[in-house]
Amino acid sequence: METYPLLIVVVTALATARVTRLITEDRILDAPRNAVLRALPDGHLLAYLLTCPWCVSIYTGTLAAVGGAGVGWWAWAWVPALALAFSYVTGWLASREGED
């Protein structure tokens, strides 16, 4: 793999992590996230999903992988592996937030 495509994969993985954090934790989306959480019954699976970076990252990672294939950054055959890799990188980074 050339340097430029590798850079695209790395940046896409980091973008996946950022979008996931935006959805699950960032204050800027507190209002819509809290509105959805209030509308759901206690213990609803969607409430867990909206606050779990490992859960959200599989969706954001898949969208990133499909988008990259759609614009020709990588072959469609790479989409499943890249989606899982983007999700894992996101979860790994989220688990290390706040560590010194």
Side-chain angles (χ1 to χ4, degrees):
M1 183 178 268
E2 298 173 30
T3 302
Y4 181 66
L6 179 58
L7 179 61
I8 290 173
V9 169
V10 170
V11 169
T12 304
L14 294 173
T16 299
R18 187 64 194 101
V19 169
T20 298
R21 189 178 196 295
L22 185 67
I23 293 168
T24 60
E25 293 184 42
D26 279 357
R27 188 173 174 190
I28 195 167
L29 289 182
D30 271 352
R33 182 176 45 253
N34 290 336
V36 171
L37 294 174
R38 280 191 303 272
L40 297 171
D42 286 343
H44 195 279
L45 187 59
L46 185 56
Y48 176 73
L49 173 72
L50 282 176
T51 58
C52 169
W54 285 97
C55 303
V56 172
S57 69
I58 194 63
Y59 297 102
T60 56
T62 298
L63 287 173
V66 167
V71 297
W73 289 344
W74 44 75
W76 284 98
W78 280 96
V79 167
L82 286 171
L84 292 171
F86 294 157
S87 176
Y88 190 83
V89 166
T90 298
W92 185 81
L93 289 171
S95 70
R96 276 139 186 84
E97 283 188 359
E99 289 185 2
D100 291 337

